[in-house]
Amino acid sequence: MLTDPNPHAWAALRCAVEAQRARDTEHRLLIERLVFSAVVRRAAQPLIADIDADALADRSDEEVGVSVAAAVLELSGAKFDVIVLRYLNKYSVARTAQAMGVDEITVRSLVSQAKAKIEAHLAPRRLLRRGLAKHDQEWSR
């Protein structure tokens, strides 16, 4: 390759290298998510206990860990930070507030908002049935 700079060969090599890099990144991200889900499953039992039981029904411990970890990873900014500090690092509300540079009331509010987002992420998706809803049927008469 280096002795005979063929543009087609170079393009093929570049594609192969990029494909391998993408696979490596994908594997690394998968491993990071699995490790994070194991940590969540072990360390965040109070968080899992606070989540609506219906959202976690019929799931094994491993599925709960993976599902909750995925939901936590979807959180943005301060909501992610407050869950990591409160549940994974087991900080008190006061210590979390100090670490984040906010009031304790803000920490409680962020925890509440984060839990609501996690529950929404875990909630089973409702399938819509074909046909008109009952109130729509009344209007069509």
Side-chain angles (χ1 to χ4, degrees), residues 35-36 41 88 91 100-101 115 122 126 131 135:
V35 168
F36 188 70
R41 194 175 72 240
L88 300 181
Y91 281 14
M100 293 179 69
K115 285 181 187 177
L122 298 173
R126 290 179 36 181
H135 66 275

Side-chain angles (χ1 to χ4, degrees), residues 46-106:
L47 171 63
I48 292 170
D50 284 350
I51 292 173
D52 181 24
D54 291 339
L56 300 176
D58 301 325
R59 297 185 191 189
S60 69
D61 286 345
E62 290 76 23
E63 288 174 316
V64 167
V66 169
S67 299
V68 172
V72 169
L73 288 171
E74 293 294 319
L75 297 173
S76 60
K79 290 178 187 77
F80 176 82
D81 295 343
V82 79
I83 292 298
V84 169
L85 292 171
R86 285 283 294 128
Y87 291 100
L88 300 181
N89 289 345
K90 305 206 183 314
Y91 281 14
S92 66
V93 172
R95 189 169 179 199
T96 301
Q98 182 182 15
M100 293 179 69
V102 297
D103 297 330
E104 291 182 25
I105 294 169
T106 303

Side-chain angles (χ1 to χ4, degrees), residues 18-49:
E18 287 177 359
Q20 184 61 43
R21 184 179 296 151
R23 282 191 297 277
D24 291 348
T25 300
E26 190 176 299
H27 290 150
R28 184 182 50 77
L29 291 173
L30 177 62
I31 290 168
E32 287 175 3
R33 284 184 178 256
L34 289 173
V35 168
F36 188 70
S37 66
V39 169
V40 167
R41 194 175 72 240
R42 278 192 223 114
Q45 285 305 317
L47 171 63
I48 292 170

Side-chain angles (χ1 to χ4, degrees), residues 1-2 6-21:
M1 177 65 66
L2 296 175
N6 180 334
H8 298 294
W10 181 256
L13 177 62
R14 188 170 131 253
C15 286
V17 168
E18 287 177 359
Q20 184 61 43
R21 184 179 296 151

Side-chain angles (χ1 to χ4, degrees), residues 104-123:
E104 291 182 25
I105 294 169
T106 303
V107 169
R108 288 186 183 95
S109 177
L110 287 168
V111 167
S112 178
Q113 293 170 28
K115 285 181 187 177
K117 286 204 174 254
I118 291 169
E119 286 179 2
H121 189 273
L122 298 173

